[in-house]
């Protein structure tokens, strides 16, 4: 606890020499990060002081820093994506039983084009088309989305059964995920989810006083009680499911992340995710979001150390990257290793781009591979992130958020960059506290 108190609640100072960025909190030893190698190490006060100068000197501290910066660790794992589609998100419906205030899918889950359910007969040939292109030993993930996907559980079951049949004996690992509002958990939907050992993400923006305002039913009633009941039913079959995640979306109308975290902890989930709304573009709210995330990190680490902190998805993601020295060159595989299928079997580069003809890359098994080829360069390059110290942990950022903020998906949104770098810096502090060898 004494070590923790040396760092928490204090302003972080930052210095940089080329691909080495260093941080200092209070009286603790400075911590340096090698941007290419994804290595973290404590540095001496002499080295820290050298980094404040316009040019490094010739003493031992400067020589050691220069030498480390030039190193290219053989343990670093490239973040280049494999060629070919390895993940599909499928809108099995484009209707919803809720009317969330911030819904980016047309305000009602329809994306402006309601579809009660996907045509499974048309979908299976599409899946065959992509699955036949997965090499032996490969992985393929299906994420069910909507609208509200559990309005069509039979479609989910048919698609899942077909994917399992196609991959059986092919040395291909198929996995399934779903993003649901959690209000339709019943005997039938539980059977579908457990049969596919689905990873389940339940959308929940906090306790009832918050969530009921943000995520009401179409007649204006709150949805929280139904979600909590659904989570109880999911908990009862946890051994037959994949990971259970609670996911909240936050904007200037709801920035009570700490209250949401406290509520999540009562609900027996494996993971918590906090997302700043893609529709939000307010600097004060952006900074408050980061402040609240830092409070959550402090609460989690104080309560349960690394294990509890890593239940918060973003910190677990960065810890994994640092432990494995795994670079990320693409924030997501949009248009590269990943495609979005809408409920009319059209293919798009991104879930947020459903209905946008500029981002449409196919229909059925007719795929515009030439159009996709233009997306293959890593986002770090396309978004001009080569000089950013956080580039291999960030991966160039979300193209849709960039476009919402700047008008171009390859022109970086400053608020996104601020959030990302801030939370990476927070991660370094807790990584140092968790790894005595840093």
């Amino acid at each position: 606890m004494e070590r923790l108190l040396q760092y928490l609640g204090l302003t972080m100072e930052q210095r940089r020499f080329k691909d080495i960025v260093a941080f200092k909190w209070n009286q603790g030893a400075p911590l340096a990060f090698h941007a290419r190698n994804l290595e973290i190490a404590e540095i001496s006060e002499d080295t820290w002081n050298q980094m404040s100068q316009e040019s490094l000197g010739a003493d031992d501290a400067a020589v050691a820093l220069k030498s480390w910066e030039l190193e290219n660790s053989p343990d670093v794992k490239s973040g280049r994506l494999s060629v070919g589609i390895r993940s599909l998100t499928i809108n099995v419906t484009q209707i919803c039983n809720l009317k969330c205030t911030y819904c980016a899918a047309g305000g009602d889950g329809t994306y402006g084009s309601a579809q009660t359910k996907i045509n499974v007969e048309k979908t299976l040939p599409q899946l065959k088309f992509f699955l036949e292109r997965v090499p032996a030993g490969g992985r393929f993930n299906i994420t069910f989305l909507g609208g509200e996907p559990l309005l069509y559980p039979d479609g989910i079951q048919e698609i899942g059964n077909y994917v399992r049949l196609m991959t059986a004996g092919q040395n291909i690992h198929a996995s399934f995920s779903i993003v649901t509002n959690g209000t339709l958990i019943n005997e039938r939907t539980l059977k579908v989810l457990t049969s596919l050992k689905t990873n389940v993400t339940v959308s929940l923006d906090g306790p009832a006083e918050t969530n009921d305002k943000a995520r009401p039913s179409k007649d204006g009633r709150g949805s929280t009680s139904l979600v909590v009941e659904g989570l109880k039913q999911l908990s009862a079959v946890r051994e037959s499911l994949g990971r259970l995640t609670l996911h909240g979306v936050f904007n200037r109308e709801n920035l009570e992340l700490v209250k949401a975290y406290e509520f999540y902890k009562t609900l027996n989930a494996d993971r918590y995710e906090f997302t700043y709304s893609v529709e939000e573009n307010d600097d004060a709210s952006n900074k408050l979001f980061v402040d609240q995330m830092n409070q959550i990190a402090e609460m989690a680490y104080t309560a349960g150390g690394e294990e509890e902190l890593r239940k918060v998805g973003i910190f677990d993601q960065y810890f994994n990257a640092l432990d494995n020295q795994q670079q990320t060159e693409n924030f997501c595989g949009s248009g590269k290793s990943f495609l979005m299928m809408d409920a009319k079997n059209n293919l798009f580069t991104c879930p947020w781009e459903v209905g946008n003809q500029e981002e449409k890359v196919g229909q059925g098994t007719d795929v515009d591979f030439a159009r996709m080829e233009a997306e293959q360069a890593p986002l770090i390059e396309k978004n001009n992130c080569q000089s950013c110290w956080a580039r291999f942990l960030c991966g160039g950022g979300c193209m849709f958020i960039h476009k919402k903020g700047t008008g171009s998906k390859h022109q970086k949104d400053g608020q996104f960059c601020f959030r990302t770098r801030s939370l990476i810096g927070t991660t370094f502090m807790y990584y140092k506290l968790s790894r005595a060898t840093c």
Side-chain angles (χ1 to χ4, degrees):
M1 180 60 72
E2 290 182 2
R3 292 186 68 199
L4 182 60
L5 293 176
Q6 291 178 3
Y7 302 98
L8 296 180
L10 299 167
T11 301
M12 175 180 67
E13 187 178 354
Q14 179 180 322
R15 295 176 182 176
R16 182 174 181 180
F17 170 68
K18 296 184 179 180
D19 258 345
I20 305 293
V21 60
F23 304 85
K24 191 174 183 182
W25 299 267
N26 198 22
Q27 300 304 312
L31 182 69
F33 170 66
H34 193 301
R36 297 190 312 279
N37 293 344
L38 275 67
E39 295 171 333
I40 288 182
E42 287 189 354
I43 58 174
S44 68
E45 288 291 337
D46 285 345
T47 304
W48 171 259
N49 292 331
Q50 284 275 353
M51 296 179 74
S52 67
Q53 302 174 15
E54 290 187 6
S55 61
L56 297 182
D59 62 10
D60 290 346
V63 170
L65 185 65
K66 291 175 184 177
S67 176
W68 186 31
E69 197 282 330
L70 289 172
E71 288 180 5
N72 288 300
S73 172
D75 296 323
V76 170
K77 301 170 184 64
S78 171
R80 294 283 170 132
L81 295 173
S82 59
V83 177
I85 301 302
R86 300 293 179 265
S87 179
L88 280 175
T89 291
I90 303 175
N91 278 355
V92 291
T93 70
Q94 281 177 208
I95 54 172
C96 190
N97 60 324
L98 299 185
K99 192 172 179 62
C100 302
T101 57
Y102 53 77
C103 178
D108 55 5
T110 68
Y111 295 88
S113 180
Q115 186 81 6
T116 56
K117 59 184 180 180
I118 199 167
N119 186 319
V120 174
E121 290 184 0
K122 292 182 178 180
T123 303
L124 300 187
Q126 283 183 287
L127 294 172
K128 183 174 185 290
F129 177 82
F130 290 114
L131 287 167
E132 287 179 338
R133 288 159 173 77
V134 179
R139 305 177 71 88
F140 197 82
N141 182 72
I142 299 285
T143 297
F144 299 107
L145 199 61
E148 170 48 48
L150 289 181
L151 287 168
Y152 189 30
D154 291 345
I156 294 172
Q157 187 75 74
E158 288 186 63
I159 290 170
N161 289 346
Y162 180 79
V163 170
R164 283 193 164 173
L165 180 64
M166 281 288 293
T167 56
Q170 300 298 313
N171 192 23
I172 296 173
H173 177 74
S175 59
F176 304 93
S177 304
I178 190 169
V179 180
T180 172
N181 62 36
T183 64
L184 299 174
I185 305 300
N186 54 43
E187 184 176 350
R188 172 60 183 141
T189 56
L190 281 174
K191 183 177 180 181
V192 173
L193 297 175
T194 55
S195 73
L196 300 176
K197 203 168 181 60
T198 312
N199 296 302
V200 180
T201 296
V202 175
S203 300
L204 184 65
D205 296 341
E209 60 266 27
T210 301
N211 190 69
D212 283 349
K213 292 178 182 177
R215 304 180 60 78
S217 63
K218 289 185 176 180
D219 62 7
R221 289 182 296 175
S223 61
T224 308
S225 60
L226 290 173
V227 179
V228 171
E229 178 56 34
L231 286 167
K232 290 179 182 178
Q233 295 186 63
L234 288 167
S235 294
V237 295
R238 283 287 290 283
E239 71 282 356
S240 299
L241 295 171
R243 185 165 60 188
L244 178 59
T245 300
L246 299 178
H247 178 256
V249 177
F250 301 87
N251 56 27
R252 74 183 79 185
E253 303 299 323
N254 172 24
L255 283 168
E256 296 191 285
L257 284 76
V258 170
K259 282 188 177 180
Y261 173 67
E262 292 172 334
F263 183 53
Y264 291 168
K265 288 180 66 177
T266 69
L267 298 173
N268 193 32
D270 302 308
R271 185 180 178 94
Y272 318 123
E273 293 180 347
F274 303 84
T275 297
Y276 190 70
S277 172
V278 297
E279 301 290 335
E280 190 62 87
N281 192 32
D282 176 67
D283 191 56
S285 299
N286 191 52
K287 291 177 180 177
L288 185 55
F289 178 91
V290 170
D291 180 66
Q292 292 261 305
M293 286 296 294
N294 285 332
Q295 290 184 55
I296 288 170
E298 177 181 350
M299 293 168 63
Y301 196 87
T302 302
E306 178 183 341
E307 181 178 359
E308 189 66 26
L309 177 67
R310 292 182 66 167
K311 289 182 180 179
V312 181
I314 193 67
F315 298 122
D316 182 55
Q317 173 187 326
Y318 295 145
F319 263 69
N320 277 331
L322 294 169
D323 281 343
N324 297 310
Q325 290 181 265
Q326 176 64 65
Q327 293 181 346
T328 297
E329 296 188 52
N330 293 278
F331 181 84
C332 75
S334 175
K336 299 176 174 68
S337 62
F338 161 84
L339 286 178
M340 175 73 205
M341 184 191 302
D342 75 0
K344 295 183 179 179
N345 299 98
N346 297 300
L347 296 168
F348 296 89
T349 59
C350 169
W352 300 107
E353 298 286 10
V354 168
N356 180 0
Q357 294 305 303
E358 292 182 359
E359 296 295 329
K360 182 178 176 181
V361 295
Q363 206 282 331
T365 57
D366 182 13
V367 182
D368 187 350
F369 287 108
R371 164 73 176 76
M372 290 176 59
E373 184 65 27
E375 301 286 348
Q376 294 309 304
L379 291 179
I380 284 178
E381 297 174 11
K382 293 176 77 71
N383 297 351
N384 296 313
C385 301
Q386 296 94 328
S387 64
C388 179
W389 61 263
R391 62 191 182 278
F392 287 124
L393 288 172
C394 168
C398 172
M399 289 184 285
F400 186 79
I401 291 176
H402 290 337
K403 185 169 73 171
K404 294 291 288 187
T406 70
S408 170
K409 65 181 181 179
H410 295 308
Q411 182 176 338
K412 290 167 290 190
D413 174 67
Q415 290 186 10
F416 178 92
C417 295
F418 171 81
R419 284 197 306 278
T420 301
R421 286 194 290 256
S422 296
L423 295 179
I424 289 174
T426 299
T427 301
F428 291 161
M429 182 181 72
Y430 289 103
Y431 193 83
K432 176 181 180 179
L433 292 170
S434 301
R435 303 284 189 272
T437 57
C438 282

